[in-house]
Amino acid sequence: MTMTTSPQAVRSLYRSMLREARGFTNYNFRNYFIRRTRDSFRENANLKGEDAIKAINEAKNDLKILHRQNVISNMYDFDKLVVEKV
């Protein structure tokens, strides 16, 4: 499978993952997935060639998983935590 590793495609994937992570209503889930997304993209920022393609494909799979978990998570109500604004 050929895949583009253009900076625009990577930024778009990054923004999509952050957007999906921000969709969690639970504070802990939301912050965990935002942090994990940022850390993952920073860690893989300097990859080139086949390694970059592999990382992007993994990120696309993670986005699909993140979306499914977001849908499932939003089916349930969680109590607000003390650190959240009321």
Side-chain angles (χ1 to χ4, degrees), residues 12-73:
S12 176
L13 180 59
Y14 177 70
R15 284 192 305 267
S16 295
M17 290 186 75
L18 285 178
R19 191 176 311 110
E20 198 66 48
R22 288 185 185 113
F24 282 87
T25 56
N26 182 278
Y27 175 85
N28 290 325
F29 290 154
R30 182 175 56 247
N31 285 333
Y32 169 76
F33 288 121
I34 289 171
R35 185 175 58 249
R36 184 170 181 240
T37 298
R38 287 180 178 155
D39 291 347
S40 175
F41 274 80
R42 284 183 189 137
E43 183 179 308
N44 295 320
N46 297 319
L47 293 179
K48 302 283 185 214
E50 199 65 35
D51 291 334
I53 292 171
K54 183 186 255 187
I56 289 172
N57 286 334
E58 286 179 26
K60 284 186 170 193
N61 288 333
D62 288 346
L63 177 59
K64 292 175 187 176
I65 293 168
L66 191 59
H67 176 72
R68 286 191 300 266
Q69 286 305 121
N70 194 356
V71 169
I72 292 168
S73 175

